[in-house]
């Protein structure tokens, strides 16, 4: 068993006391940071905010991990599940010097310490939880539950990285966290790095005890062993005993990790799933803080969760108690006259990029290498293939397979058990599914060497990809459209991370988060209503313009160009929506390239306006199925009412619609007018909820003239064409809309309207009868002509 | 150990064979349902859809649970986690006669069986998974992961109910499912019913093995024992051995449940958390289906997940194999000449409401009793209290406490550890937090007798409330606004459930799903950007009009009336958004009642248009903080530019904005015009993303005249007032908007615009300097006058 030398112990303890001192200072002090004078109420912040309870434990772990790093040179990052313990991590960064490197105003001396305290949880300052502004972090501590998914994502294809993941006992109650212990079932000790989870049980959350904090030790152990871990436990509050025991536990775990890796790497194959070590650390909540306040027990209870002494400015007893609490860390022994940490404390820091707050893995843009992308043309739909229905996502699958081939160290696909279902199965020609549990004879395309990530958990898939990209690698999350809502909050929070990072010059840009939504609402023939929901678009379009991207390629060639663009982009959330079923192909390879670059284009071959500036009506579309309906509607109009001049506009980049001042992809006023005029009515057929278009075109000339058809939450187990009828977005509805909104009404309008009504009624009869007759699904396709 | 009598065994086996036969029939047959003739390709459906793999296991369990019910009279419902096994549950309902009771066309004879087969997963028919259309279900089987949350929610305050929850090994990989085993930590054996989880491990999901399916038995047992269960295991495929062993396991579990309940109920107190029983059932996937197809193993592998024989229409071998598979169930012995199940099968059904497909608990509207609601006036803000800032949600908390008092058997509050934080803590005067794990001295307001549900999991809270209401009881889910996105997919799916149920006359209306969003984006002073997100509104407004409701009460009195309305409503998703911090109070009790009923109203005391039909500009608002800014802006205008006639309109019911044809709450054209005119520009200050208003007013007269300010994703750790400035929604921005969009520009406009610019610049300087000075938070309030 490892024995911590006394000199190390003294240095670690001093570092820890300094971190605790700085934590309390951030919560309370606006002045007198070194307590060189007696504490007065005026030196206390007007509003006391922050979370003390979890912080001393976080700093305790941090100090000890730093020792391992110093001893071994192990590249390590630290993810803080109990993210509201922000001041602890800020303190660590300041002690390590990193904070001053990224925020030069916050010097590592008395003036900087004063600034450090004042900025915390103050207007214009930093949030109270670990966030984008915290150097060394790739994990936002606001929304709980993702620390383990982020930890595992960070170490995939990162064989030399160790990620420490502190799991709070509050967040341990969340579904996503409970579902993410299984990361080790997808971890390859040869090619991947390691995660060391530390379940920090201090027994309470904001206002009450936690489930894991109050289960018997045996049950908690049983639970984690059931997840496959070797459990090491450390409990107590005695000092220096806790230092010694935790140092030993950490040394044991680290040795065990290295041994697992060494064995596997010597052997060259992952072998049976290892029993990776993890630590359960039980310490009092608010450890080293005030034990009793106003006669009530605070240390060790939920009362220490936030600000243990709340009346410091008004209550002299509280003030005195705060002062003695601060002085209990013996600040005079920790900082020299200038306020700089003493040499013994600095000696506890690792050096350079080994400092966890300075790891380039936590600022992954620094490590990002571009993807080696192939020439797209080899996957393209050729002119010969037009006229046949093609599964567009299958072409994307071929591209993804090539990405796997060319980028074996920095590209992965993440998907909840739907790679084949989504027609992306070509990747299995290059890589198996990753699976570290038992593989049996007869299993196909699955092994512990695989790098295609399939787990039936959107949370795991999404979160793994998030940190895979935040550590500088590339990937794609592919999901059934409706169930992308499961991880919508992750999409939103990751977008916020990127938005915030864009304001921090020291944060290097990272690969984008690419999300493919397929199995869409229009084509869920047998699954029905619960599988019909294009809602995620609603959430992504509200992100800031520098982050939000929504693409609706109508066919394979445009999908390829969109994907290529997304894989080259940085620090965006790219949402790509396209169905997986065989579908019409519209654009040649070059046309698609051009339109993806422009965002939207007139399809001259579809309309009959011959380039006039003044068609009678514009039919616009965004999305695959609705594009087909638009083309079909145009053809009906061209045939049956050729006098009506119709222009067809297809939109691939949804964010081309807003004004450029509202979004950087917004079309220029001139090009927008070239496409949509500024006065002709537009019948817009949209893949998602119509309101999305209404809000995006707001502010464009005469936005009221946009009449939008889309998914209006009418769904069922039914044919694709019937879906368009139920949602009043079929070709016949579009024809009627075109006639009703055209600038002039050509002769024959009422006949054509009546004909459309008949077609719809005919269809509705057909559906009712279908149950009796069950004929073949009616042909509903339409093909680009000429 | 229970021994299944041979007569019972024969009857159960016959029932099971019938269910399997009906399942295969649904997937394959369009005709010849009883196989009275040789099977021909024409009798096969044109498109083969559905999921065989899980179905025989589901029917097996169902048959055995029915025996327990027959023997004991136990009121029981059956929730199907592997919901894509829909045909199995439909078959069960048909065998029990319930299907015919709710769908009279689907008779329990040959004609009905033919219809049963043809409607399955066909246009105009029913979906392939367990859904709203399945009698006996309160659980949509599309989006996986919620079967245990639904199970636990159904039994809270339902002491006589047993809920069987079958967990599939695919969905067992999801985060929400893993996080929901802990339901027993919140279950009271005295007052609540019981859940019997059955983890059905058949080893594979769509295309690959599952984590739990390939862990060692010891690890899986350890995991579930760690969750606190007593684990009973049954494995195999041998018959009749499996019948005997499963019957014994079920009998043992049922006895154990009853014993736990009896002990606790005799004692009168819940006592230590029981080790509730659960079953791990291991059977082959696709059990009793084709073992080998085209030389590949199918039974027991992922290949049996959906349609094991896919080429039946074209491939004579497949057709023959299907026929022999169907005949292996010996249909001639199962159904009489008319196609009715034989008496031995019918004898396996429980009777009446004890049939699981006919349980009124699974059609909870039948059991719903109105809440006993108090007179709201006692919680109201009185005239005397105007002028003081009041925490509005605290008044709601007082109302909730009274609901707990009056409805001890049918009302609960569900909240992720934030009841006190959200100022709803009055409920603890009536009931503790529920917590079945160890309670220690010093814990406050927490016990195994409590009925306030706090668990740090939005998924659990939301899901528990869903099924609590679907079984006919009432409740509220209260969440931090930003983190309501965690359970957004549940909100969406529950909305879909209600929308679908509204079309089924036999589904009785249930209490609404009430969601309170507080700690809103405008008032997250220290938490910062990750806590600032009003995104859920975006998702709720896309629901159908018969379900979606969004309320933005600006103060306590309107909150009380909104809550009262929501608690009386049925089958809606009610989203209520209001902050928890002290805030201005605007409306008297009666004014609030009137406005909540109307949805929106002119605030004549705020504007200066004196009732003219033609003000120069309308200032509208929806949401608490933005209302205050609007009132402040109006006051600035009234003071500094009294010539400008300004009308103030406040919107509480957001769905009053769409046209009535788009939403039943939509204001009539006349009233809309009375409020907003049809030509005057409207400066609309909105709590959420501005696009929501743009899409809601689309189609209203000249919708382009609505200029919306709202949350534009600008956030940080900062003061509330600074939030309004950053989002360009402050009083000064509103004044400028009003001037710039008014019908006429009164003299002094440029001066007032310049003054506003100065105020904003002044504020921005102040924020930059604040870090240095840390003054008190600036007063930013405004009070209703006169």
């Amino acid at each position: 068993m490892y024995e911590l030398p006394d000199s190390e112990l003294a240095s670690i303890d001093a570092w820890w006391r300094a971190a605790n001192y700085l934590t309390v200072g951030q919560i309370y002090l606006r002045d007198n940071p070194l307590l060189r004078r007696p504490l007065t109420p005026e030196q206390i912040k007007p509003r006391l905010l922050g979370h003390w309870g979890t912080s001393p434990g976080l700093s305790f772990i941090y100090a000890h991990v730093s020792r391992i790093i110093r001893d071994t040179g192990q590249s390590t990052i630290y993810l803080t599940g109990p993210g509201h313990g922000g001041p602890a991590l800020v303190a660590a960064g300041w002690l390590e010097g990193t904070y001053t490197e990224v925020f030069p105003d916050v010097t590592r001396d008395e003036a900087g310490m004063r600034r450090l305290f004042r900025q915390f949880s103050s207007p214009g300052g930093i949030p109270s939880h670990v966030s984008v502004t915290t150097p060394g972090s790739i994990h936002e501590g606001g929304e709980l539950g993702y620390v383990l998914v982020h930890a595992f994502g960070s170490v995939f294809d990162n064989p030399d990285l160790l990620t420490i993941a502190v799991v709070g006992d509050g967040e341990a109650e969340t579904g996503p966290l409970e579902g993410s212990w299984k990361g080790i079932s997808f971890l390859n000790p040869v090619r991947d790095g390691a995660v060391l989870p530390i379940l920090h049980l201090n027994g309470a959350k904001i206002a009450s005890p936690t489930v894991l904090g109050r289960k018997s030790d045996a049950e908690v152990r049983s639970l984690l062993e059931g997840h496959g871990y070797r459990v090491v436990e450390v409990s107590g509050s005695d000092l220096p005993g806790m230092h010694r025991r935790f140092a030993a536990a950490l040394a044991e775990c680290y040795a065990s990790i290295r041994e697992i890796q060494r064995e596997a790497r010597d052997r060259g194959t992952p072998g049976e799933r290892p029993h990776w070590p993890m630590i359960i650390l039980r310490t009092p909540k608010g450890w080293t803080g005030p034990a009793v306040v106003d006669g009530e027990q605070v240390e060790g209870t939920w009362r220490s969760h936030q600000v243990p002494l709340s009346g410091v400015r008004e209550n002299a007893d509280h003030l005195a108690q705060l002062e003695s609490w601060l002085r209990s860390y013996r600040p005079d022994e920790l900082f020299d006259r200038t306020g700089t940490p003493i040499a013994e404390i600095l000696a506890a820091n690792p050096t350079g990029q080994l400092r966890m707050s300075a790891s380039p893995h936590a600022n992954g843009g620094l490590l990002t290498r571009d993807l080696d992308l192939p020439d797209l043309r080899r996957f393209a739909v050729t002119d010969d293939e037009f006229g046949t229905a093609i599964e567009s996502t299958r072409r994307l699958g071929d591209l993804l397979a090539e990405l796997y081939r060319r980028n074996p160290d920095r590209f992965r696909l993440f998907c909840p058990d739907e790679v084949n279902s989504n027609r992306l199965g070509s990747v299995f020609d290059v890589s198996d599914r990753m699976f570290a549990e038992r593989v049996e004879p007869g299993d196909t395309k699955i092994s512990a060497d695989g790098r295609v990530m399939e787990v039936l958990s959107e949370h795991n898939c999404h979160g793994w990809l998030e940190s895979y990209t935040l550590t500088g690698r590339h990937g794609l999350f592919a999901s059934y459209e409706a169930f992308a809502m499961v991880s919508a909050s992750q999409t939103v929070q990751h977008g916020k991370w990127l938005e915030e990072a864009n304001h921090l010059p020291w944060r290097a840009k990272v690969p984008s988060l690419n999300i493919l939504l397929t199995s869409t609402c229009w084509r869920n023939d047998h699954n029905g209503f619960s599988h019909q929901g294009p809602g995620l678009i609603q959430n992504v379009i509200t992100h800031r313009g520098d982050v939000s991207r929504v693409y609706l390629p109508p066919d394979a060639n445009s999908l390829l160009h969109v994907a290529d663009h997304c894989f080259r982009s940085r620090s965006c959330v790219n949402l790509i929506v396209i169905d997986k079923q065989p579908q019409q192909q519209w654009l040649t390879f070059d046309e698609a390239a051009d339109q993806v670059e422009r965002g939207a284009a007139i399809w001259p071959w579809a309309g009959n306006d011959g380039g006039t500036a003044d068609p009678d009506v514009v039919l616009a579309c965004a999305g695959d199925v609705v594009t087909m309906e638009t083309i079909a509607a145009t053809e009906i109009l061209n045939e049956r009412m050729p006098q009506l001049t119709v222009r067809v506009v297809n939109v691939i980049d949804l964010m081309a619609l807003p004004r450029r001042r509202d979004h950087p992809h917004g079309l220029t006023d001139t090009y927008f007018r070239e496409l949509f005029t500024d006065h002709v009515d537009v019948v817009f057929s949209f893949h998602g909820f119509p309101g999305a278009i209404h809000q995006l075109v707001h502010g464009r000339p005469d936005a009221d003239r946009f009449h939008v058809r889309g998914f209006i939450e009418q769904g069922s187990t039914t044919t694709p064409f019937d879906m368009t009828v139920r949602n009043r977005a079929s070709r016949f509805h579009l024809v009627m809309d075109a006639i009703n909104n055209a600038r002039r009404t050509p002769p024959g309008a009422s006949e054509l309207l009546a004909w459309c009504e008949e077609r719809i009624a005919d269809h509705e009869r057909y559906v009712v009868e279908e149950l009796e007759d069950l004929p073949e699904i009616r042909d509903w396709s339409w093909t680009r002509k000429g």
Side-chain angles (χ1 to χ4, degrees), chain A residues 616-649:
Chain A
D616 292 324
V617 67
V618 174
L619 293 191
C621 46
D624 48 9
V625 166
V626 295
T627 293
M628 185 177 62
E629 288 308 296
T630 300
I631 300 301
T634 311
E635 209 147 309
I636 292 170
L637 284 166
N638 292 350
E639 261 179 46
R640 296 178 176 261
M641 191 177 271
Q643 319 89 306
L644 195 79
T645 53
V646 178
R647 176 188 295 171
V648 173
V649 174

Side-chain angles (χ1 to χ4, degrees), chain A residues 145-146 148-150 152-153 156 175-184 186 414-415 453-467 477 486-487 490:
Chain A
Y146 310 117
L148 282 177
V149 288
H150 287 160
F152 284 102
F156 293 144
L177 194 286
E178 287 233 42
S180 62
W181 291 105
K182 70 169 71 62
I184 53 171
F186 297 86
F414 302 82
C415 185
M453 307 307 284
E454 272 200 349
V455 58
L456 214 165
S457 162
E458 286 80 3
H459 292 108
N460 276 292
C461 289
H462 199 291
W464 287 344
L465 176 58
E466 287 172 37
S467 55
F477 166 51
V486 171
S487 45
Q490 294 176 288

Side-chain angles (χ1 to χ4, degrees), chain A residues 31 54 93 129 165 223 281 393 409 438 450 491 520 552 601 628 663:
Chain A
D31 211 344
T54 186
H129 50 269
L223 183 70
L281 172 64
T393 57
D409 57 348
R438 193 176 72 247
T491 311
T520 64
L552 296 140
M628 185 177 62
H663 195 286

Side-chain angles (χ1 to χ4, degrees), chain A residues 271 370 682 735:
Chain A
D370 290 346
V682 179
V735 167

Side-chain angles (χ1 to χ4, degrees), chain A residues 367-382:
Chain A
L367 303 175
T368 301
R369 284 178 302 136
D370 290 346
L371 276 179
D372 179 358
L373 284 156
D375 181 356
L376 294 179
R377 206 171 284 269
R378 52 191 278 207
F379 313 106
V381 170
T382 61

Side-chain angles (χ1 to χ4, degrees), chain A residues 13-14 17 21 325-335:
Chain A
D13 188 66
R17 282 186 285 125
Y21 181 84
W325 174 16
L326 280 162
R327 291 199 190 280
S328 74
Y329 300 117
R330 308 196 296 280
D332 293 344
E333 299 174 16
L334 303 174
F335 307 101

Side-chain angles (χ1 to χ4, degrees), chain A residues 668-682:
Chain A
T668 62
D669 292 349
T670 311
Y671 188 49
F672 189 89
R673 212 174 297 117
E674 274 178 39
L675 296 182
F676 298 108
T677 79
D678 53 13
H679 61 293
V680 173
D681 277 25
V682 179

